[in-house]
Amino acid sequence: MIHRSDGPRRRAILSGSEFEERIGYARAVVDGDRVHVSGTTGFDYATMTISDDVVEQAEQCLRNIGAALAEAGCTFADVVRVRYLLPDRADFEPCWPVLRRCFGEVRPAATMMVCGLADPRMRIEIEVDARLPAASDGLPRSVSSASG
């Protein structure tokens, strides 16, 4: 991850995805104490490859999001909002165990939408909003991350 600062309160985080450069957006934006992570798909940005399996795509989405959150200075424990976008509603339920590993204890507000995605290989896209933790807010930081 790399970042670009647009002043003292706004910082863009770039993952190196070719989509960010071609379209003109950041993987995440830190704005004050808020972190907005763009809709993130199951591409492995290092190789720009994507699995055909929706569960594997969900796992990769969460790895990509976890890296952006870490660069921003937070974890899945700080997520307050998550949006799931899928072209096929039948693909959502198989992803539930993967999603629960990241969000089951956190319980962010959540929405699932059925819609078309930018590339037909994409079977799930996940977007999150988080709040940067205060040094002494007393909230637990032990929520597990998305691994494999």
Side-chain angles (χ1 to χ4, degrees), residues 79-84 106-111:
V79 172
V80 297
R81 182 81 166 119
V82 60
R83 291 170 196 85
Y84 305 106
V106 178
R107 303 290 175 134
T111 301

Side-chain angles (χ1 to χ4, degrees), residues 34 51 57 102 144:
R34 302 294 176 185
S51 171
Q57 285 191 29
C102 286
S144 63

